[in-house]
Amino acid sequence: MAKQLLGKEVNEKLNARIIAECEELKARGVNPTLAIVRCGERPDDLSYEKGATKRAEALGVAVEKFLLPEDVSKEELLRTIDAINANDQIHGVLMFRPLPKHLKADQDEICNRLDPRKDVDGMTNGSNAGVFMGKELGFAPCTPAACMEILDHYGIDCTGKKAVVLGRSLVVGKPAAMMLLAKNATVTVCHTKTRDVAAVAREADILVSAAGVLKSLTKDYVCPGQVVIDVSINWDEAKGGIAGDAVYDEVEPIVEAITPVPGGVGAVTTSVLIGHVVEAAKRAAQ
Amino acid sequence: MAKQLLGKEVNEKLNARIIAECEELKARGVNPTLAIVRCGERPDDLSYEKGATKRAEALGVAVEKFLLPEDVSKEELLRTIDAINANDQIHGVLMFRPLPKHLKADQDEICNRLDPRKDVDGMTNGSNAGVFMGKELGFAPCTPAACMEILDHYGIDCTGKKAVVLGRSLVVGKPAAMMLLAKNATVTVCHTKTRDVAAVAREADILVSAAGVLKSLTKDYVCPGQVVIDVSINWDEAKGGIAGDAVYDEVEPIVEAITPVPGGVGAVTTSVLIGHVVEAAKRAAQ
């Protein structure tokens, strides 16, 4: 039976660290603050906003909301971002995407208006450059950062290990690969054009699955001794709930350790986001 | 006997393409221009400058030199870069690094003052973000870009192939990995902490060696059918000249194709640089 890598266990320590850092900052007169920028009222956004707000407040991070109508003009949204950039009481920004349809063509320009130093969700070119170069320019997207928190929490040393990442998206696959490389893993990135992915995956010591395809990670992809980080959140109609890429019941008995879905990576991303806000406040206070 | 992948053959076609594009731009009133920024008179810089100037002029690209004294102040250098950014008659910039010692601490800030769109040598954060994200923000460093030109010229399709990159530097290893990924290869990045590099390398269909260690790529690293791109330029005391990573005489008889050193990747980088200037001029003219 595999060890379960549980988001809640990671969060316990991570949250305690964030609370302590928050208190330290407040003692120095810095009040770590997250700005949330939302255009319209998409249910997904509202739900994530609620969770992030609750977590932020529980950890001591203030939340300031910038709520704009769904038909907000590009100019108005840019003015909002400019004001946030100029406001040194705001340390991190979560802006929901995709932006409303009429702003879609300008989404790239709008996102990049944000100062990368406040980009706690890894959406700007500056944050991407930082992840690629290993520089503190912005922040990695929260999901791959959550994967690293899980590895760290469970003391899984990546040095010299073979890490295989399934997926090459900018929100998970590519940054996860760069972060594993920074942890001295030998990293292989697989994708839809990879031949015999299962054989490549079986070679991994650490397997990060971000395929986003329900039941794609079967027993053929794994072998004893592996650590499996199942990043994906897929809707499983049969189960009537969310599930990862792994066919959990057949993968779990084989591998050494695995993150469940739900309760694994996804459970850590909100704390990572808040942790980034605190880190941004620390950097700004230096 | 392996096929030799020769820089001069790649250059022939690449140069012809650059000349044609240059003529097309000139017919539209655009005169592709490279600015060279040099502080001091390091022999290496002078030598590269001479080669780049000659190649640029042969291909129809104008060169404008900004020659500053070795003790140039940071402010003066920044003013020079600002002037170049503002000058829409200049499309690409080659600035020699490392900068003089007194500017070393500010090198990062100085390099990033350049508009990424003119950064034909891949030194800015913007260029790095572009390589990582697969966006046209700037330009890849010339050496990994030269590797891709060689693969393209010889019709080596990367899709689904296993590519192994030895080295994870920002000037070669990491960008080469991203560019191979963009060509749909399954990419593995190895480095000094990788266990049994030779075994990983032997699995490659395309092996890019950027270790920068003379005679590090032995017969144990290769197998029949492989394409070997030897990126490194090492000084070989015994030979009294430059050599790559490969022990050429033992690797060449085994593999399918290999770039010699000299005469391989290094021979293509200058044309790639000039090609980037023309591409920058094309983008600016759009």
Side-chain angles (χ1 to χ4, degrees), chain B residues 175-237:
Chain B
M178 288 300 127
M179 295 167 96
L180 288 161
L181 198 54
K183 285 177 170 296
N184 293 321
T186 299
V187 182
T188 301
V189 182
C190 296
H191 44 79
T192 50
K193 301 282 194 247
T194 296
R195 291 187 198 144
D196 200 354
V197 187
V200 180
R202 278 197 306 271
E203 294 281 309
D205 298 308
I206 297 164
L207 181 59
V208 176
S209 187
V213 179
L214 186 72
K215 296 190 192 303
S216 58
L217 196 80
T218 65
K219 62 179 176 356
D220 297 339
Y221 285 64
V222 296
C223 72
Q226 285 186 324
V227 172
V228 176
I229 309 285
D230 191 348
V231 176
S232 301
I233 296 178
N234 307 300
W235 182 256
D236 185 345
E237 195 60 50

Side-chain angles (χ1 to χ4, degrees), chain A residues 70-123:
Chain A
E70 202 193 333
D71 64 351
V72 62
S73 69
K74 177 183 168 184
E75 292 64 36
E76 173 71 13
L77 181 50
L78 289 178
R79 264 197 303 274
T80 305
I81 296 171
D82 287 343
I84 289 171
N85 284 341
N87 183 345
D88 61 13
Q89 306 299 308
I90 292 174
H91 305 98
V93 177
L94 173 66
M95 180 169 78
F96 291 109
R97 289 147 291 148
L99 295 172
K101 271 184 195 151
H102 67 288
L103 300 173
K104 210 173 169 184
D106 298 315
Q107 179 160 317
D108 218 44
E109 178 194 345
I110 295 168
C111 288
N112 278 299
R113 188 78 156 225
L114 180 64
D115 185 335
R117 291 171 295 186
K118 299 189 179 190
D119 178 24
V120 290
D121 198 23
M123 70 177 184

